[in-house]
Amino acid sequence: MAGVYTRTLLGSGLIFMLVAGMKPQASTPGASNQTPEAASPAAVPVQAKEQKPTPVYESATVLKSITRLVVVDVVATDRNGAISDLKQDDFSILEDGKEQKIRVFNFQQPQANAPAAMAASKPPDNVYSNVARFSASSALNILLLDALNTNLPHQAYVRDQMIRYLEKMPEGQPVAVYTLSTKLTLLQDFTDDPAVLKKVAREIKSNMSPLLDNPAGGPDMELLPAGVADSGMVPAQMLNAMQSFEQERIAFQTDLRIAYTINALNSIARSLSGYPGRKNLIWISEAFPLTIDPNMELTGDTFAGTRNYGLQIAAAADSLIDAQIAMYPIDARGLVPPSMFDASNSGRDKFGRSLSRPGRMASAISTESAELQNVHGAMQEMADRTGGRAFYNTNGIDAAIRNSIEDGSTYYTLAYYPENKNWNGKFRKIHVKVNRSGVRLRYRLGYFAVDPTLFAEKNKKEQDSAFALALSPDSPIATGLPFNALVLPPAEAAPKTVRVNFGVDPHAISFEKLPDGLQHATLECTIQAFSAKGKLVRGVATTVKAALKPDTFSKVMQDTFPCQQAIDLEPGNYYLRLGVRDTRTGLIGTTNAKVVVASAAPAKP
């Protein structure tokens, strides 16, 4: 082992000894660490009837980063529902109009007599892990209840509809529950026990959003007394200035809502990227607009308040696609009638002007309709980009949840290595065909052809921001880079030093063979220590640069990749956030740990 790493690894042989027997467990029974290209042809099933519930690969995120495999989940239906008898030869897949060779074919559907879903066994004392903790024979489902973008009455309605769905929830459908306010919270990890989920649903508390104009619901607050603007008491210039300010305020508020929401979606993607197979993210929300296009009659500044969130939505969708997550947005408002005909409507706009004057009511109804379509457009965009389905203009939210889970549980997985090796960052459109009439296909629109191994050349602020968000104790555990960590409390010789020995799954690390004949990789290992009250006390990090000889590389691939980090802490109880990152691909893994630093014994006289 001596001289293997370009950076000095303190006690590298000791690290291997300490992490021996702590190899990350396969997140799905029977899963293989081989990439599809490395597997024998016989290992890649080609007929639906031969398929097993477990995909032939571990993680779409890892495979994209290591092998550039493009994974496409395809939902096939006809007028009778899901189709389950298609073969690989029935499909053809094109990228930017050019046919690609299908390297992996897999069919997934709920199994009537499937084994019960299992949670991973508890690791030994002082060993902490981010390895996917739940395995099942069907697709995983995530309910994201969005309080940030949804008012209180609609939150209550969603909770009732969720309980209604759970009353008749079928067996064998693993569900996790998250809520979103200004931070993302995991309320319940994956379980297929309806009783547990119903208990969680009943205990969900509504949260008033600080970024909605009217989070409590009901009529909007009027900014001017009734009739003042119509009377001419307010100069036209002042009214225009108020309208322009209001546009910018709403636009800024929407910017914040979208930033929080996109960060939450990215956190969910990092949290689920280590789980194999398809995940269905059911986002129940009033959502946000695809664009903000102010009424041109209100101000002479044509760009005041204008926004287009298409790029942010595309980036979030790409993050979800990398983790093999399909988005199923559901409008929490249900069927939305025009507010003009609501009994609580005052008949005035927010500036106190009467809507009875010629043209105003028609204009207000048209504007409200356009705003709603804009929000539905954003929901549809997220669904289309990720291969999911959007539900709006329906009061049956419980039925929409049921349909989302059923839709995303029966699917075909196709994967290919792109013929076009020019990783120029441009969007490549995917088109899937099937040689059977009457079949409707739904799948992701495409992907951005970014070389995943060039992560290190990206904007450093962007890198650090993503890692910092993943290391936040408010973020869910990231599973993209699996590892186990042995936390060693202080020894007598160093009474304040806590040592952490990381054992990282080498199959998720991007190794590169250089002309020197060695396999090179760079990994960052980080510890952040928080007090019992959640205050950051201290953080430390180290970078491991490896240059492995062939025989050592072979041994590492059969065991774990080691990294050791120490942190000095004063006596007390600490909550640790442990993180690792591959600097070439940006894959991140995090987990939580605890440690107690005891007070030093008094010196003997």
Side-chain angles (χ1 to χ4, degrees):
M1 293 295 298
V4 169
Y5 302 98
T6 56
R7 175 193 174 278
T8 301
L9 281 176
L10 297 178
S12 58
L14 176 62
I15 296 175
F16 268 117
M17 182 176 67
L18 289 172
V19 300
M22 295 164 48
K23 187 183 298 185
Q25 305 167 13
S27 54
T28 302
S32 169
N33 282 328
Q34 286 184 307
T35 64
E37 198 163 65
S40 64
V44 182
V46 295
Q47 295 185 358
K49 65 181 182 180
E50 297 174 353
Q51 301 310 306
K52 296 180 180 180
T54 302
V56 296
Y57 48 86
E58 293 242 2
S59 164
T61 307
V62 171
L63 286 178
K64 176 183 175 182
S65 299
I66 306 301
T67 69
R68 299 186 179 95
L69 185 76
V70 177
V71 180
V72 184
D73 289 333
V74 181
V75 174
T77 59
D78 59 15
R79 61 183 181 179
N80 297 318
I83 300 173
S84 60
D85 62 345
L86 295 172
K87 311 294 188 293
Q88 178 173 337
D89 293 340
D90 295 325
F91 289 92
S92 58
I93 188 165
L94 295 86
E95 180 179 291
D96 286 343
K98 295 182 179 179
E99 188 165 355
Q100 308 292 313
K101 183 178 179 180
I102 298 174
R103 302 287 185 142
V104 174
F105 180 78
N106 208 291
F107 175 65
Q108 301 291 317
Q109 68 176 349
Q111 303 293 320
N113 298 317
M118 298 179 297
S121 57
K122 187 178 182 300
D125 291 343
N126 295 342
V127 175
Y128 300 89
S129 176
N130 75 331
V131 176
R133 295 168 290 176
F134 188 91
S135 62
S137 58
S138 61
L140 299 175
N141 306 289
I142 306 95
L143 285 176
L144 175 58
L145 309 180
D146 184 354
L148 179 70
N149 299 293
T150 307
N151 68 29
L152 292 177
H154 292 146
Q155 289 181 46
Y157 179 61
V158 166
R159 184 172 59 250
D160 292 342
Q161 290 286 296
M162 178 180 167
I163 294 172
R164 185 174 177 179
Y165 162 73
L166 293 173
E167 294 289 347
K168 300 179 180 179
M169 174 182 169
E171 295 182 0
Q173 291 186 342
V175 175
V177 181
Y178 287 84
T179 58
L180 172 63
S181 53
T182 51
K183 70 176 183 178
L184 182 69
T185 303
L186 174 63
L187 295 184
Q188 174 60 50
D189 210 341
F190 290 109
T191 178
D192 54 6
D193 186 343
V196 173
L197 292 169
K198 280 188 282 189
K199 183 176 184 295
V200 170
R202 292 192 180 99
E203 293 177 351
I204 293 174
K205 296 181 180 179
S206 298
N207 289 300
M208 186 173 291
S209 173
L211 296 177
L212 288 177
D213 264 2
N214 190 11
D220 290 334
M221 182 182 69
E222 294 180 13
L223 302 178
L224 291 174
V228 170
D230 284 336
S231 68
M233 296 176 63
V234 179
Q237 186 175 2
M238 180 181 295
L239 185 60
N240 285 337
M242 291 179 64
Q243 292 170 321
S244 180
F245 175 81
E246 186 67 6
Q247 290 171 4
E248 285 295 343
R249 184 190 65 80
I250 292 173
F252 177 72
Q253 196 168 265
T254 307
D255 286 345
L256 291 178
R257 282 200 290 135
I258 290 179
Y260 279 120
T261 307
I262 296 298
N263 283 341
L265 296 178
N266 288 333
S267 293
I268 290 175
R270 282 191 293 267
S271 178
L272 300 177
S273 60
Y275 288 81
R278 180 184 175 102
K279 281 78 66 177
N280 304 310
L281 176 56
I282 303 166
W283 176 38
I284 309 177
S285 171
E286 291 183 36
F288 47 75
L290 182 61
T291 62
I292 295 179
D293 187 12
N295 188 341
M296 297 297 295
E297 296 175 354
L298 299 183
T299 173
D301 183 359
T302 59
F303 297 103
T306 300
R307 300 286 196 280
N308 188 311
Y309 300 106
L311 290 178
Q312 290 95 319
I313 290 174
D318 204 48
S319 177
L320 295 172
I321 287 169
D322 285 352
Q324 209 174 349
I325 298 173
M327 176 77 93
Y328 288 82
I330 299 175
D331 191 346
R333 289 167 289 202
L335 186 60
V336 185
S339 63
M340 303 300 163
F341 305 113
D342 191 280
S344 63
N345 191 285
S346 66
R348 297 183 296 272
D349 66 11
K350 65 169 55 181
F351 294 97
R353 298 176 300 187
S354 173
L355 295 176
S356 63
R357 295 203 175 186
R360 281 187 182 173
M361 181 172 289
S363 177
I365 292 175
S366 176
T367 299
E368 184 177 352
S369 176
E371 289 173 351
L372 184 62
Q373 291 179 20
N374 207 350
V375 171
H376 290 167
M379 298 171 73
Q380 193 66 54
E381 181 81 358
M382 291 294 290
D384 288 345
R385 282 187 171 275
T386 60
R389 181 181 170 191
F391 295 85
Y392 42 81
N393 292 332
T394 175
N395 288 329
I397 291 180
D398 62 325
I401 296 173
R402 183 179 303 107
N403 292 337
S404 298
I405 292 177
E406 290 177 354
D407 182 86
S409 298
T410 301
Y411 63 95
Y412 298 84
T413 294
L414 286 65
Y416 67 93
Y417 295 100
E419 299 291 337
N420 183 0
K421 307 300 181 185
N422 180 19
W423 308 106
N424 54 15
K426 295 183 178 180
F427 187 79
R428 296 182 183 176
K429 195 167 184 179
I430 293 173
H431 183 54
V432 180
K433 297 180 180 179
V434 66
N435 60 2
R436 184 184 298 183
S437 61
V439 178
R440 296 186 298 271
L441 302 180
R442 191 166 58 257
Y443 48 89
R444 65 192 244 191
L445 292 180
Y447 70 100
F448 289 97
V450 178
D451 188 342
T453 62
L454 296 181
F455 174 81
E457 297 181 12
K458 286 186 177 181
N459 186 290
K460 192 173 187 304
K461 289 184 179 180
E462 181 183 336
Q463 300 175 38
D464 294 342
S465 176
F467 199 23
L469 182 62
L471 288 169
S472 167
D474 291 335
S475 294
I477 290 173
T479 61
L481 191 53
F483 69 94
N484 290 327
L486 174 62
V487 178
L488 300 173
E492 187 176 349
K496 294 184 179 181
T497 304
V498 175
R499 298 188 182 278
V500 178
N501 292 337
F502 295 85
V504 184
D505 185 353
H507 300 91
I509 298 173
S510 175
F511 286 94
E512 181 182 19
K513 189 174 182 179
L514 295 181
D516 60 7
L518 304 179
Q519 292 281 355
H520 292 257
T522 306
L523 207 67
E524 294 179 27
C525 302
T526 300
I527 305 173
Q528 289 192 344
F530 295 85
S531 68
K533 295 183 179 180
K535 181 181 178 181
L536 178 63
V537 176
R538 193 178 178 201
V540 293
T542 189
T543 300
V544 179
K545 294 184 177 181
L548 306 181
K549 296 178 180 179
D551 58 338
T552 307
F553 176 70
S554 178
K555 292 178 182 178
V556 167
M557 295 303 289
Q558 295 174 21
D559 198 66
T560 58
F561 185 93
C563 176
Q564 187 182 64
Q565 179 66 63
I567 185 170
D568 290 340
L569 299 170
E570 296 297 325
N573 297 333
Y574 295 93
Y575 162 87
L576 304 180
R577 186 75 164 188
L578 310 178
V580 294
R581 176 174 64 171
D582 186 331
T583 61
R584 292 187 69 227
T585 63
L587 282 180
I588 293 172
T590 61
T591 194
N592 301 324
K594 294 179 180 178
V595 70
V596 176
V597 178
S599 300
K604 293 182 180 180

